[in-house]
Amino acid sequence: MNAVRGNNALRVGDSVPDVPLVAVTGGGPKPLSRAELFGGKKVVLFAVPGAFTPTCTAQHLPSFLANHQRIKAKGVDTIACVAVNDVFVMKAWAEAKDPERVVTMLADGAAAWTKAAGLDWDLSGLGLGVRAQRFAMIVDDGVVSHIAVEEGAAFKVSSGDAIVAALG
């Protein structure tokens, strides 16, 4: 199945949706508004179709874990991963793959943020329901300054290495 980037998808210069995401924290789930997550910060946000799925677990998340110091050295305040999973799945994935908590894990359980961003992907035919397309973006104070969306199931333009290059 191919992801289709719709006309309403986020583009450079757009503000990210004002839809809360739920962060995995040591104190439990914490809803974060756009202002809390992006306000006055440089954020690298990447999305995976699903926690614990093959490419997401073996390549996408690890590419950001391996590059987190290089990304932070470019002035990035937060590296965050969003998936259309519940916060407890995201917590288990963080515990399994990112015990140092280098990446802020964000749950978009009902795909509300992902749909508002125009970056949803209907994988119902595979039994997965609506998911996020695989993408990575740089957000400066709530405004997208770079976005790379993968075509279908590819993993080429949204890696940690690609974001390091985009940060200059």
Side-chain angles (χ1 to χ4, degrees):
M1 304 204 114
N2 287 330
V4 177
R5 187 169 183 197
N7 291 332
N8 64 337
L10 282 180
R11 300 198 187 296
V12 170
D14 290 347
S15 293
V16 294
D18 193 9
V19 175
L21 291 164
V22 181
V24 173
T25 73
K30 180 182 181 190
L32 294 176
S33 68
R34 175 175 60 193
E36 290 170 306
L37 186 57
F38 300 103
K41 299 175 193 163
K42 179 175 269 203
V43 177
V44 166
L45 177 69
F46 68 99
V48 296
F52 292 108
T53 57
T55 302
C56 306
T57 299
Q59 293 177 293
H60 207 173
L61 176 59
S63 77
F64 282 90
L65 297 175
N67 282 291
H68 78 275
Q69 291 176 334
R70 294 171 63 204
I71 293 168
K72 292 284 192 137
K74 302 276 187 178
V76 171
D77 298 297
T78 304
I79 302 168
C81 175
V82 64
V84 179
N85 288 113
D86 67 66
V87 71
F88 302 106
V89 168
M90 295 302 284
K91 178 179 186 270
W93 197 38
E95 289 170 351
K97 293 296 178 184
D98 184 17
E100 306 274 327
R101 301 296 169 106
V102 170
V103 173
T104 299
M105 294 293 190
L106 300 169
D108 185 20
W113 190 96
T114 300
K115 287 177 181 178
L119 294 166
D120 51 305
W121 188 12
D122 188 353
L123 293 173
S124 297
L126 297 175
L128 298 171
V130 174
R131 297 296 178 126
Q133 293 183 53
R134 186 179 312 283
F135 67 81
M137 66 176 70
I138 301 167
V139 182
D140 292 295
D141 194 20
V143 177
V144 177
S145 61
H146 169 82
I147 186 165
V149 182
E150 298 288 357
E151 291 292 328
F155 178 63
K156 297 178 183 174
V157 299
S158 65
S159 69
D161 287 324
I163 284 295
V164 169
L167 287 163

